[in-house]
Amino acid sequence: SRTGISGLAVLLVISAGLVMLGGCPPENNGPDQAPVAYVPPGPAASRVFQPVRIGMIEGSPGDWMGRSVVVNGVVSVVEEPGVFVINDIDTRTNQLMVIVPRNPQLITSRLNTNDVVQVSGTVELFTAGMLNTYSTAFAVDTDGPRVTPDFYMQYLNRPALVATTVDWLTYTRP
């Protein structure tokens, strides 16, 4: 009876050990063995935000159309909720119109001239009907945001950045 208890204890210890080992990965037995941990691939190349200067986009807009970028700039104009213009930080000569389709009123109500911002998004060509495609984001029934005719003509057929994020690097109080 004494060996029966020890035999039972040994059997329980062996069973517990086998249960614990059941969750362990198998040994690597060659190049065909699957990896133990799965690391998902990174984002597609078109979704990686590449840091660029506004002058690079202005200088060769065709190279940047449809690409995801990150730019730093100084706010020079807040035209409408969801529409503003940034200039290069250093030269302040190159300009890029920014359209904010997500939470436009919230973002642009906090923007001031001379704020330094970092904007990530996709470069697109500003065309005649472009703002109308964002009518639901701007909470209007038929048209997108209304910009002044002068502003419209100044940026028509030029690159625009459709923003995914807007982050303040410095904030200027009005």
Side-chain angles (χ1 to χ4, degrees):
S1 97
R2 208 171 167 172
T3 43
I5 293 175
S6 331
L8 182 60
V10 170
L11 185 59
L12 285 175
V13 169
I14 292 173
S15 297
L18 289 174
V19 168
M20 289 181 1
L21 287 176
C24 291
E27 290 183 24
N28 189 350
N29 293 327
D32 296 334
Q33 182 68 34
V36 174
Y38 173 72
V39 178
S46 64
R47 297 302 312 154
V48 174
F49 292 99
Q50 179 179 0
V52 297
R53 296 176 57 88
I54 294 169
M56 293 170 65
I57 296 170
E58 281 287 309
S60 55
D63 294 345
W64 298 99
M65 292 298 163
R67 292 182 62 186
S68 298
V69 299
V70 175
V71 296
N72 294 336
V74 178
V75 176
S76 58
V77 176
V78 179
E79 175 68 12
E80 273 289 308
V83 180
F84 62 97
V85 177
I86 57 176
N87 292 33
D88 271 329
I89 292 174
D90 299 340
T91 64
R92 304 212 179 186
T93 55
N94 298 303
Q95 298 182 330
L96 183 62
M97 182 176 73
V98 178
I99 300 170
V100 183
R102 288 183 24 213
N103 300 320
Q105 288 81 7
L106 176 65
I107 299 296
T108 51
S109 68
R110 297 180 178 172
L111 275 178
N112 298 301
T113 303
N114 295 322
D115 283 355
V116 179
V117 294
Q118 182 174 72
V119 183
S120 63
T122 305
V123 179
E124 295 184 15
L125 184 67
F126 179 57
T127 59
M130 182 180 192
L131 295 178
N132 295 343
T133 62
Y134 300 109
S135 60
T136 55
F138 289 95
V140 291
D141 293 334
T142 56
D143 297 327
R146 290 173 177 79
V147 296
T148 63
D150 289 340
F151 182 90
Y152 180 82
M153 291 308 295
Q154 183 177 355
Y155 292 98
L156 184 65
N157 295 321
R158 289 181 58 191
L161 184 59
V162 179
T164 305
T165 63
V166 178
D167 296 306
W168 276 256
L169 301 177
T170 64
Y171 177 74
T172 307
R173 297 201 183 274

